């Protein structure tokens, strides 16, 4: 199963990941982790994927010793 590429910009830096949809679950994968969420009605896949990618970046930045 191939993923869809996504990118977000936070504080001038671009972060990338991919997302896949399996049934009603969307999963974002990055080099520093993966996060899944159930897709709510009327929520665009891209919107949810960007939200999950942003959460992954924030979690990685908060981790001690992070290089992001």
């Amino acid at each position: 199963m191939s993923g869809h590429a996504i990118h977000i910009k936070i504080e001038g830096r671009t972060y990338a990941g991919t997302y896949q949809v399996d049934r009603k679950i969307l999963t974002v994968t990055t080099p520093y982790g993966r996060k899944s969420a159930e897709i709510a009605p009327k929520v665009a896949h891209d919107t949810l994927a960007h939200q999950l990618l942003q959460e992954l970046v924030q979690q990685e930045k908060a981790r001690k010793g992070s290089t992001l």
Side-chain angles (χ1 to χ4, degrees):
M1 195 183 318
S2 65
H4 303 277
I6 54 169
H7 301 84
I8 61 170
K9 201 167 214 168
I10 299 174
E11 297 174 1
R13 290 191 64 184
T14 301
Y15 300 92
T18 58
Y19 74 89
Q20 297 177 329
V21 177
D22 186 18
R23 296 180 187 92
K24 292 186 178 185
I25 303 295
L26 185 141
T27 302
V28 173
T29 305
T30 68
Y32 35 90
R34 95 188 300 155
K35 192 167 188 117
S36 299
E38 187 173 348
I39 302 167
K42 298 184 181 179
V43 173
H45 293 173
D46 279 353
T47 301
L48 180 56
H50 282 90
Q51 178 184 340
L52 293 177
L53 178 56
Q54 184 171 0
E55 289 174 12
L56 280 165
V57 169
Q58 289 171 342
Q59 288 172 356
E60 179 62 17
K61 285 179 139 191
R63 190 175 62 85
K64 186 177 181 182
S66 173
T67 58
L68 291 185

